[in-house]
Amino acid sequence: MKDKHIIDVLDNTSIASLSESESSEIQAHAQECVTCREAYEAARVSALVLQSRARTKIEPSPFFQTRVLAAWREQQAVESVPAMLRLWRSARAIVSSMAVTTAALAALTFMLPAQAPLTTDQTASALSAESVIMGQSSDDQVTYDQVLSTIYQDDDDAR
Protein backbone atom coordinates (compact mmCIF):
# COMPACT_ATOMS: atom_id res chain seq x y z
CA MET A 1 0.00 0.00 0.00
CA LYS A 2 3.01 2.28 0.49
CA ASP A 3 3.80 2.24 -3.22
CA LYS A 4 0.18 2.77 -4.18
CA HIS A 5 -1.78 5.85 -3.21
CA ILE A 6 -5.12 5.36 -1.47
CA ILE A 7 -6.91 7.90 -3.62
CA ASP A 8 -7.80 5.16 -6.14
CA VAL A 9 -9.22 2.98 -3.37
CA LEU A 10 -11.29 5.85 -1.95
CA ASP A 11 -12.63 6.68 -5.41
CA ASN A 12 -13.83 3.10 -5.99
CA THR A 13 -15.30 2.27 -2.56
CA SER A 14 -16.91 4.19 0.26
CA ILE A 15 -15.28 4.49 3.69
CA ALA A 16 -18.23 2.77 5.36
CA SER A 17 -17.76 -0.36 3.25
CA LEU A 18 -14.04 -0.78 4.02
CA SER A 19 -12.96 -3.70 6.20
CA GLU A 20 -10.94 -3.19 9.43
CA SER A 21 -7.68 -4.24 7.79
CA GLU A 22 -8.22 -1.93 4.77
CA SER A 23 -9.14 0.93 7.07
CA SER A 24 -5.99 0.50 9.20
CA GLU A 25 -3.79 0.32 6.06
CA ILE A 26 -5.37 3.50 4.69
CA GLN A 27 -4.87 5.34 7.99
CA ALA A 28 -1.22 4.21 8.17
CA HIS A 29 -0.57 5.36 4.59
CA ALA A 30 -2.41 8.64 5.20
CA GLN A 31 0.00 9.49 8.05
CA GLU A 32 2.97 9.25 5.68
CA CYS A 33 1.49 10.81 2.47
CA VAL A 34 0.11 14.36 2.63
CA THR A 35 -1.97 14.09 -0.58
CA CYS A 36 -3.59 10.85 0.53
CA ARG A 37 -4.23 12.28 4.03
CA GLU A 38 -6.19 15.20 2.51
CA ALA A 39 -8.16 12.80 0.31
CA TYR A 40 -8.88 10.52 3.28
CA GLU A 41 -10.09 13.43 5.42
CA ALA A 42 -12.30 14.72 2.60
CA ALA A 43 -13.80 11.25 2.09
CA ARG A 44 -14.38 10.84 5.84
CA VAL A 45 -16.07 14.24 6.15
CA SER A 46 -18.28 13.65 3.10
CA ALA A 47 -19.32 10.25 4.50
CA LEU A 48 -20.30 11.90 7.80
CA VAL A 49 -22.28 14.60 5.99
CA LEU A 50 -24.11 12.00 3.92
CA GLN A 51 -24.94 9.92 7.00
CA SER A 52 -26.28 12.92 8.91
CA ARG A 53 -28.31 14.03 5.91
CA ALA A 54 -29.73 10.53 5.46
CA ARG A 55 -30.89 10.52 9.10
CA THR A 56 -32.70 13.83 8.70
CA LYS A 57 -36.38 13.39 8.03
CA ILE A 58 -38.17 16.04 6.02
CA GLU A 59 -41.85 16.14 6.75
CA PRO A 60 -44.15 17.44 4.04
CA SER A 61 -46.42 20.37 4.80
CA PRO A 62 -49.74 19.50 6.46
CA PHE A 63 -51.73 20.12 3.29
CA PHE A 64 -49.35 18.36 0.90
CA GLN A 65 -51.34 15.12 0.83
CA THR A 66 -54.58 17.03 0.37
CA ARG A 67 -53.18 19.01 -2.56
CA VAL A 68 -51.71 15.93 -4.24
CA LEU A 69 -54.94 13.96 -3.89
CA ALA A 70 -57.00 16.90 -5.18
CA ALA A 71 -54.76 17.26 -8.23
CA TRP A 72 -54.94 13.51 -8.84
CA ARG A 73 -58.77 13.50 -8.60
CA GLU A 74 -58.95 16.48 -10.98
CA GLN A 75 -56.75 14.70 -13.50
CA GLN A 76 -58.88 11.57 -13.22
CA ALA A 77 -62.04 13.63 -13.78
CA VAL A 78 -60.60 15.24 -16.92
CA GLU A 79 -59.50 11.90 -18.34
CA SER A 80 -62.89 10.31 -17.68
CA VAL A 81 -64.69 12.87 -19.90
CA PRO A 82 -65.05 11.50 -23.46
CA ALA A 83 -62.95 13.18 -26.12
CA MET A 84 -65.94 14.28 -28.21
CA LEU A 85 -67.47 16.05 -25.21
CA ARG A 86 -64.20 17.90 -24.51
CA LEU A 87 -64.00 18.83 -28.22
CA TRP A 88 -67.59 20.09 -28.18
CA ARG A 89 -66.92 22.21 -25.08
CA SER A 90 -63.98 23.93 -26.75
CA ALA A 91 -65.67 24.44 -30.17
CA ARG A 92 -69.23 25.10 -28.99
CA ALA A 93 -69.18 28.87 -29.59
CA ILE A 94 -67.88 28.78 -33.16
CA VAL A 95 -70.16 25.90 -34.22
CA SER A 96 -73.17 27.66 -32.74
CA SER A 97 -72.37 30.94 -34.51
CA MET A 98 -71.90 29.11 -37.81
CA ALA A 99 -75.27 27.38 -37.40
CA VAL A 100 -77.04 30.68 -36.64
CA THR A 101 -75.39 32.35 -39.67
CA THR A 102 -76.44 29.48 -41.95
CA ALA A 103 -80.02 29.61 -40.67
CA ALA A 104 -80.16 33.39 -41.19
CA LEU A 105 -78.88 33.09 -44.76
CA ALA A 106 -81.36 30.33 -45.54
CA ALA A 107 -84.22 32.42 -44.13
CA LEU A 108 -83.17 35.45 -46.19
CA THR A 109 -82.92 33.33 -49.33
CA PHE A 110 -86.43 31.91 -49.05
CA MET A 111 -88.29 34.81 -47.48
CA LEU A 112 -87.15 37.81 -49.50
CA PRO A 113 -89.18 38.38 -52.66
CA ALA A 114 -87.30 37.43 -55.78
CA GLN A 115 -86.86 40.09 -58.45
CA ALA A 116 -89.03 39.58 -61.51
CA PRO A 117 -87.09 38.91 -64.69
CA LEU A 118 -86.67 41.93 -66.99
CA THR A 119 -89.05 42.19 -69.90
CA THR A 120 -87.84 43.09 -73.37
CA ASP A 121 -88.91 46.72 -72.90
CA GLN A 122 -86.92 46.98 -69.66
CA THR A 123 -83.92 45.31 -71.27
CA ALA A 124 -83.92 47.77 -74.18
CA SER A 125 -84.15 50.77 -71.88
CA ALA A 126 -81.47 49.49 -69.46
CA LEU A 127 -78.17 51.25 -69.84
CA SER A 128 -74.98 49.29 -70.16
CA ALA A 129 -71.86 50.27 -68.24
CA GLU A 130 -70.07 51.05 -71.49
CA SER A 131 -72.77 53.42 -72.70
CA VAL A 132 -72.76 55.32 -69.40
CA ILE A 133 -68.95 55.62 -69.31
CA MET A 134 -68.60 56.59 -72.96
CA GLY A 135 -71.55 58.96 -72.76
CA GLN A 136 -73.34 57.22 -75.56
CA SER A 137 -77.02 56.64 -75.76
CA SER A 138 -78.31 53.13 -76.28
CA ASP A 139 -79.11 53.96 -79.95
CA ASP A 140 -75.46 54.80 -80.76
CA GLN A 141 -74.10 51.31 -80.28
CA VAL A 142 -70.80 50.65 -81.98
CA THR A 143 -70.93 47.76 -84.41
CA TYR A 144 -68.25 45.14 -84.90
CA ASP A 145 -67.46 46.51 -88.33
CA GLN A 146 -66.75 49.95 -86.90
CA VAL A 147 -64.45 48.49 -84.21
CA LEU A 148 -62.54 46.35 -86.73
CA SER A 149 -62.15 49.16 -89.20
CA THR A 150 -60.85 51.46 -86.46
CA ILE A 151 -58.30 48.86 -85.31
CA TYR A 152 -57.05 48.01 -88.77
CA GLN A 153 -57.04 51.62 -89.93
CA ASP A 154 -54.51 52.42 -87.19
CA ASP A 155 -52.31 49.57 -88.46
CA ASP A 156 -52.46 50.90 -92.03
CA ASP A 157 -51.46 54.42 -90.87
CA ALA A 158 -48.47 53.03 -88.98
CA ARG A 159 -47.00 51.43 -92.14
Side-chain angles (χ1 to χ4, degrees), residues 52-108:
S52 68
R53 184 69 178 153
R55 285 187 213 125
T56 306
K57 282 192 170 185
I58 299 174
E59 293 293 326
S61 67
F63 298 108
F64 176 75
Q65 183 178 4
T66 307
R67 287 192 313 235
V68 168
L69 288 176
W72 181 70
R73 286 184 191 120
E74 183 179 325
Q75 184 180 9
Q76 293 294 326
V78 168
E79 290 175 359
S80 66
V81 176
M84 287 303 291
L85 184 58
R86 283 184 287 170
L87 180 65
W88 170 249
R89 285 180 181 165
S90 62
R92 166 178 33 201
I94 193 163
V95 170
S96 300
S97 66
M98 290 171 64
V100 167
T101 303
T102 304
L105 289 174
L108 289 174

Side-chain angles (χ1 to χ4, degrees), residues 21 31 37 77 86 91 101 109 130 142 144:
S21 63
Q31 289 175 355
R37 184 178 328 130
R86 283 184 287 170
T101 303
T109 300
E130 295 167 351
V142 178
Y144 288 114

Side-chain angles (χ1 to χ4, degrees), residues 27 51 131 145:
Q27 288 175 358
Q51 286 176 355
S131 64
D145 293 333

Side-chain angles (χ1 to χ4, degrees), residues 128 130-131 136-143 146:
S128 67
E130 295 167 351
S131 64
Q136 298 174 345
S137 65
S138 60
D139 296 338
D140 286 339
Q141 292 291 328
V142 178
T143 63
Q146 291 172 338

